[in-house]
Amino acid sequence: MRRIFSTALLTVAATAAAMTTATAQSPHFIGDVTCTKSLTAGLQCSGKAAGLGNAPTGAFLTAASVEAEYVCVNRGGNIAPGQGTESQNVVGPTQTIQPRNGQITFTNVTIPPPATPSARDVCPNGNWTVHLLHLTYNDVVLHIQQNGTDILTRDLGDIDP
């Protein structure tokens, strides 16, 4: 009886230790997160994270606001300045990555530029064309999630190089 109890106790202890080891994670970024901004692709960030376990992982960006400045150009090349828009609480698409040995490398996690408004809506004449001149991303945060929960974030601040 004593032997059966000892065996059962050891089995429970080994199972508990294995569960602790399997779920023990220490998520962290490896090196810097690098971001670039372009008028055509928007904001794109890349980097590497570790300590994630093996669950599918999502990476995405959020911004408190995205400000876009447009100009209207007529057929003669003349510019009507300062047509602006601002989007609030922007969330970029999620990039799903399967970790390998608890690590992920994410590339081109994006917040695309806002949709270009119609010339009829913002220009002096509907025959003009609208050109994006400048983008500003405010309070940008990179999110790394598993099972719909943030396990790692990086505050990137305002991006307006």
Side-chain angles (χ1 to χ4, degrees), residues 28-137:
H28 60 279
F29 288 102
I30 298 174
D32 290 331
V33 173
T34 58
C35 297
T36 58
K37 182 181 79 166
S38 79
L39 297 179
T40 55
L43 180 63
Q44 297 181 322
C45 297
S46 301
K48 189 171 185 176
L52 305 174
N54 292 316
T57 304
F60 64 95
L61 295 168
T62 61
S65 65
V66 178
E67 299 170 23
E69 183 181 351
Y70 298 93
V71 293
C72 296
V73 181
N74 70 10
R75 292 181 185 167
N78 296 318
I79 295 174
Q83 316 304 321
T85 64
E86 183 172 334
S87 302
Q88 299 290 322
N89 302 318
V90 179
V91 179
T94 300
Q95 186 179 100
T96 302
I97 307 161
Q98 182 62 46
R100 293 185 61 156
N101 297 320
Q103 296 184 7
I104 62 168
T105 299
F106 52 92
T107 56
N108 299 328
V109 175
T110 65
I111 296 180
T116 302
S118 164
R120 294 184 198 284
D121 294 336
V122 297
C123 296
N125 183 316
N127 292 325
W128 293 42
T129 58
V130 180
H131 295 277
L132 179 58
L133 184 65
H134 186 77
L135 286 170
T136 301
Y137 292 85

Side-chain angles (χ1 to χ4, degrees), residues 1-15:
M1 181 70 155
R2 181 182 244 180
R3 185 174 183 179
I4 293 172
F5 179 73
S6 295
T7 304
L9 185 59
L10 285 173
T11 302
V12 169
T15 303

